[in-house]
Amino acid sequence: MKVCVVGGGGREHALAHVLARTSDVVRARTDPSGTGLSGIDADLYVIGPEQPLVDGLADRLRSEGRLVFGPGADGARLEGSKVWMKQVLHDAGVPTACHGAFDRAEPAVRFLRSLAGPYVVKTDGLAAGKGVLVTESVEEAEDDVRAKLAGTSFGDAGRTVVIEEGLRGPELSVLAVCDGQRALPLAPARDHKRLGEGDTGPNTGGMGAFSPVAEAGPQLVEEVMERAVEPTLAALGRLGVDYRGVLYAGLMLTAEGPKILEYNVRFGDPEAQAVLPRYVGDLAAFLAEAAAGHLTSEPAFADDACVTVVLATAGYPTSPRAGDRISGVEEAEAVEGVTVFRAGVERGPDGDLVTAGGRVLDVTALGVDVDEARRRAYRAVAHISFPGMQYRGDIAAGAVAPVMPGIPEEAEGS
Ligand code: AMP
């Protein structure tokens, strides 16, 4: 089978890497004006990023008779509008944070002040994972509401804001592959959204991820499927949406049970990098079944673990710097079990790799367990450098036994 992976980031590199085990893979970037896909003739198109899905790329390809993994614009609205997503959740009876949606500051501020905190302010529209503020300070939340509504911080994506009660608990990502009728879960993952160690600093697109997650056994995954994913797919069906692609449930495991924080309409980035390398079998055939509306295979995952550590540029997430020369990638990839997915890189004039995006590289390692995968990933990270490189030294740290006093960690983050 010939598979075309659309999108140029680390998630798409991971997809291409795993699909290439069983199929011929070509990669295509999307451009704002067109699809960038003319001339590519593939048996299956897998669309990586959310923006082209929201813009209707899957619909355009399907109208040409092509087999596509990824929802049409109708289903992608689940990610393109948080207000609409909340409405669908409400109609489907799916547990989620209570919320209000506002396009004017006064009622928004009044609603904020009625909440107990922590306070959560989100842009309605797409903001590359960075449009969410979670804070204990009502003043900070109010300032954020005003900046978003004024269009100064996130442009039109913030002209409507969603304000939510802050939930507490560990997070979990469950990615389900859907064929319009059925949804089958992939192995759960946990990502790290904040820029700084100890979950501090601003939200980012994601600074690292790992899979499996010890407390997310089959029973919890079944609960998430029964209480959230399946009712959502059914609600979409009632709205006439034939949803074929990934339905990614971002969850908070609260004291009252799992609650949905958000849905994404594609593989997570960086969750895909931590989940897909563990896939056993023919991923291309599995995604093709979903794309054709007939899922029959069951996804299977190896018992080993995978950890991915994101290396980001100076200035990420607000003002990433481009053009910094990267060294040590080959040495990193020589570490056992390690693959370095290219997220935001290009070739400089002398042929060297240079930074070309906020998140630059995803240093990904397989191991017998999370501890081994983590050690391998950080051993590889230690080989790579570029000016201003930022990463977290605590990716997956909570998932392994604490380090014994006096025994230093192998590598520390910046
Ligand atoms: P989202 O893009 O909606 O998943 O939000 C990004 C991140 O913000 C999530 O991964 C959580 O860490 C945090 N977050 C979002 N909504 C809430 C909420 N209601 N309560 C607490 N944290 C939240």
Side-chain angles (χ1 to χ4, degrees):
M1 192 188 317
K2 185 171 168 188
V3 184
C4 176
V5 175
V6 181
R11 162 186 46 214
E12 290 77 22
H13 189 185
L15 270 163
H17 179 82
V18 177
L19 287 163
R21 292 176 186 163
T22 55
S23 59
D24 295 328
V25 177
V26 289
R27 292 188 59 188
R29 287 178 185 256
T30 47
D31 55 80
S33 55
T35 66
L37 296 173
S38 48
I40 294 178
D41 202 11
D43 304 302
L44 172 69
Y45 295 78
V46 178
I47 302 173
E50 59 275 20
Q51 189 72 57
L53 291 166
V54 170
D55 293 345
L57 177 57
D59 304 302
R60 286 204 288 283
L61 290 170
R62 285 194 179 105
S63 71
E64 294 167 10
R66 310 199 197 214
L67 189 63
V68 184
F69 184 80
D74 53 0
R77 205 172 156 211
L78 214 47
E79 184 165 356
S81 168
K82 287 194 194 281
V83 174
W84 192 71
M85 185 255 297
K86 283 290 205 180
Q87 186 61 49
V88 173
L89 288 184
H90 182 262
D91 294 347
V94 174
T96 185
C98 89
H99 81 290
F102 304 92
D103 54 14
R104 289 191 312 116
E106 296 72 37
V109 166
R110 225 176 297 130
F111 182 69
L112 260 180
R113 290 193 185 146
S114 74
L115 298 175
Y119 306 93
V120 182
V121 183
K122 303 183 177 185
T123 56
D124 175 47
L126 291 180
K130 297 162 213 152
V132 178
L133 174 77
V134 183
T135 177
E136 299 286 343
S137 154
V138 73
E139 291 80 18
E140 193 186 1
E142 287 182 23
D143 289 348
D144 190 61
V145 163
R146 290 183 209 285
K148 280 176 176 152
L149 289 179
T152 48
S153 52
F154 288 95
D156 287 341
R159 298 278 183 192
T160 299
V161 293
V162 172
I163 296 173
E164 292 181 8
E165 62 168 332
L167 302 176
R168 296 185 199 269
E171 289 183 44
L172 187 70
S173 303
V174 175
L175 282 63
V177 168
C178 306
D179 70 357
Q181 307 283 326
R182 270 185 92 199
L184 294 173
L186 303 181
R190 177 164 293 153
D191 75 345
H192 300 258
K193 288 259 193 235
R194 301 284 191 131
L195 180 69
E197 289 175 14
D199 291 329
T200 54
N203 269 316
T204 68
M207 295 300 290
F210 63 96
S211 174
V213 180
E215 68 261 43
Q219 220 177 324
L220 179 61
V221 173
E222 206 178 297
E223 186 182 350
V224 169
M225 296 302 289
E226 282 177 5
R227 293 187 62 192
V229 174
E230 285 161 7
T232 303
L233 193 61
L236 289 171
R238 286 195 294 278
L239 293 169
V241 178
D242 183 4
Y243 193 99
R244 301 182 189 188
V246 170
L247 190 50
Y248 159 142
L251 298 143
M252 190 83 91
L253 306 178
T254 73
E256 296 110 56
K259 292 191 180 181
I260 291 283
L261 294 176
E262 63 160 348
Y263 276 121
N264 292 324
V265 299
R266 33 73 192 178
F267 288 99
D269 186 346
E271 287 94 331
Q273 292 87 315
V275 169
L276 295 177
R278 299 182 54 229
Y279 190 87
V280 177
D282 188 340
L283 181 64
F286 180 56
L287 300 186
E289 284 178 14
H294 296 291
L295 266 178
T296 49
S297 315
E298 294 285 330
F301 290 85
D303 286 336
D304 56 9
C306 190
V307 172
T308 188
V309 178
V310 172
L311 309 183
T313 57
Y316 181 74
T318 43
S319 45
R321 190 172 74 195
D324 288 312
R325 204 172 142 267
I326 304 165
S327 63
V329 174
E330 263 178 47
E331 292 82 347
E333 288 195 306
V335 176
E336 194 178 353
V338 169
T339 311
V340 180
F341 296 123
R342 274 60 162 174
V345 296
E346 59 187 25
R347 293 273 167 201
D350 53 4
D352 286 344
L353 276 185
V354 297
T355 64
R359 293 183 295 168
V360 178
L361 298 167
D362 308 314
V363 182
T364 307
L366 285 161
V368 290
D369 53 21
V370 173
D371 189 23
E372 185 180 69
R374 180 170 191 270
R375 283 172 191 278
R376 286 176 171 177
Y378 280 110
R379 210 175 301 141
V381 166
H383 288 288
I384 300 178
S385 65
F386 50 86
M389 179 169 108
Q390 307 189 69
Y391 67 95
R392 281 179 60 164
D394 62 350
I395 302 302
V400 298
V403 179
M404 297 292 285
I407 303 180
E409 288 251 51
E410 276 178 44
E412 289 300 320
S414 52

